Amino acid sequence: MHNTPTAVTASPSVRRARRGALALAASLALLAGVPAVAQDKPVALKLSSWVPPQHPLNPSLIAWAEDIKKASGGTITATLFPSEQLGKAFDHYDMARDGIADFAYVNPGYQPGRFPVMAGAGLPFLFSNAKGGSAAIDAWYRQYAAKEMKDVHYCFAFVHDPGTFHSHKKIVLPTDIKDMKIRPATSTIGQMVTSLGGTNVQASAPAARDALARGVADAITFPWGSIILFGIDKVVNFHMDVNLYTTPFVWVMNKAKYDSMSAGQKKVIDDHCTTAWAEKVASPWADFEYAGRAKIAAEPGHTVYTLTAPQLAAWHKAVEPIEAEWSATVKKLGYDPKAVLDSLKQNLVKYKAGQ
């Protein structure tokens, strides 16, 4: 005769314990299927841009923020404040440092001498375009950002498409700069103006048209499309057709804001602070600036002119002291200027953006 298993009846307390364990297991199973970011606290970011709403950089920054929102499961949202709503263009680095903005669009050249390594990227005749150029400058500057911009959390660097001289009178040779009042785009271009006997006029991009209209400045270094965007084409008529310089920019974050995020949210930010994103954000602006040259050339009363080979050679010769001055400055701070500049040039070759 076979033995029949004896049924065991659990006590009420044991049954309750089993139900509790099953409920806990079910809850853990559900949580395992939910992305970590969905459990994070909401974070609202203030993004500050000093260019006007219609500037092509702003839609790129909004698209960047939307991708962050998606990647964070909706826990990181952002609002963009253009047109110096949160503060003046000159103050944007300190605004990110102090938390007035969580992210800020910074022109390091607005504060001459403060960011000497980055100033090297503003040396004349380096960049040929802004798409590969933005990837190149970001890949290059990452090794220096933690030291030179230690007050903020560095996200990425980028450049606009190469700019040139736009003026009240034709500028052909470096000697033409003597006694002219020029609004330089960067501290490096400002050094060039001074070395050639000109006077620098400090004015942010939004204030530049007024300076030119009132005769406070005779010329400006600016990219092509933005000449039209800021209305500067109404007050200057001559445009040198040469890739003279680019302006380095950075997109930086308030450190405390970054540190307050969860590990998952920090990873989302890190994934959007890359060389690939630097180029992606800069590309629509690059296209806009490049297209500006043809538009200005088609405007009545405007003269877009090229330089002869000897004239261009004279400019290259004239800017050599600027590189020497920059080299001396960064050397005093403990950097090897040749290594710094060679690294930038290597990245420009890698990303097909060198001259």
Side-chain angles (χ1 to χ4, degrees):
M1 191 169 86
H2 297 290
N3 291 326
T4 305
T6 306
V8 178
T9 302
S11 68
S13 60
V14 171
R15 288 199 299 271
R16 283 195 298 273
R18 284 177 180 168
R19 285 198 297 271
L22 287 169
L24 178 61
S27 298
L28 290 173
L30 283 170
L31 286 173
V34 178
V37 290
Q39 303 160 48
D40 292 333
K41 293 178 180 177
V43 173
L45 299 174
K46 294 179 291 184
L47 317 181
S48 188
S49 162
W50 38 266
V51 291
Q54 65 271 32
H55 193 288
L57 177 63
N58 292 329
S60 288
L61 293 175
I62 291 169
W64 173 85
E66 285 298 318
D67 204 76
I68 285 178
K69 181 179 178 180
K70 181 180 177 182
S72 68
T75 67
I76 304 174
T77 57
T79 303
L80 179 68
F81 296 88
S83 298
E84 301 183 309
Q85 290 181 42
L86 298 183
K88 293 295 182 183
F90 289 113
D91 298 328
H92 269 57
Y93 180 85
D94 292 334
M95 286 161 55
R97 180 196 65 190
D98 299 338
I100 295 168
D102 298 311
F103 274 93
Y105 162 49
V106 178
N107 179 346
Y110 279 166
Q111 296 182 317
R114 189 172 185 182
F115 307 105
V117 173
M118 181 56 98
L123 289 168
F125 304 114
L126 286 175
F127 292 75
S128 62
N129 67 80
K131 290 184 179 180
S134 290
I137 190 175
D138 180 73
W140 163 73
Y141 192 62
R142 286 185 175 274
Q143 62 193 305
Y144 306 110
K147 180 179 178 181
E148 186 160 270
M149 297 191 178
K150 61 182 181 296
D151 308 304
V152 296
H153 182 82
Y154 174 82
C155 186
F156 52 70
F158 56 103
V159 294
H160 62 57
D161 215 53
T164 188
F165 281 111
H166 308 271
S167 53
H168 291 152
K169 69 173 188 177
K170 200 171 185 179
I171 299 171
V172 176
L173 290 168
T175 50
D176 295 333
I177 298 298
K178 185 173 171 55
D179 297 327
M180 288 188 70
K181 297 171 298 208
I182 296 174
R183 182 272 187 189
T186 67
S187 57
T188 310
I189 295 297
Q191 290 172 355
M192 181 187 77
V193 169
T194 303
S195 72
L196 296 175
T199 301
N200 288 308
V201 175
Q202 293 299 321
S204 67
R209 174 182 172 165
D210 184 56
L212 288 156
R214 292 190 294 113
V216 174
D218 304 312
I220 186 171
T221 55
F222 225 56
W224 292 89
S226 288
I227 284 287
I228 301 169
L229 178 65
F230 286 90
I232 295 169
D233 59 322
K234 308 302 181 198
V235 291
V236 295
N237 304 97
F238 294 93
H239 314 272
M240 182 193 288
D241 190 6
V242 64
N243 289 336
L244 178 64
Y245 78 100
T246 52
T247 301
F249 299 103
V250 289
W251 185 235
V252 295
M253 186 181 186
N254 175 257
K255 272 190 168 184
K257 194 72 167 186
Y258 179 82
D259 292 341
S260 71
M261 292 181 167
S262 71
Q265 289 172 326
K266 286 178 182 176
K267 184 179 185 307
V268 170
I269 296 296
D270 294 344
D271 289 346
H272 287 77
C273 289
T274 63
T275 297
W277 269 105
E279 182 171 357
K280 190 172 182 178
V281 167
S283 287
W285 185 9
D287 290 336
F288 167 82
E289 298 292 4
Y290 181 80
R293 184 203 170 280
K295 291 178 181 176
I296 289 174
E299 285 188 9
H302 285 265
T303 302
V304 175
Y305 58 96
T306 57
L307 299 180
T308 65
Q311 288 167 347
L312 190 57
W315 280 102
H316 278 273
K317 183 73 175 173
V319 302
E320 286 177 1
I322 309 308
E323 183 176 327
E325 187 176 342
W326 171 82
S327 295
T329 299
V330 295
K331 190 173 183 178
K332 286 178 185 175
L333 296 171
Y335 297 97
D336 178 347
K338 186 178 184 303
V340 172
L341 202 54
D342 283 351
S343 176
L344 175 58
K345 290 177 178 177
Q346 288 162 11
N347 276 289
L348 286 168
V349 170
K350 177 181 177 180
Y351 291 101
K352 298 179 174 59
Q355 287 198 38

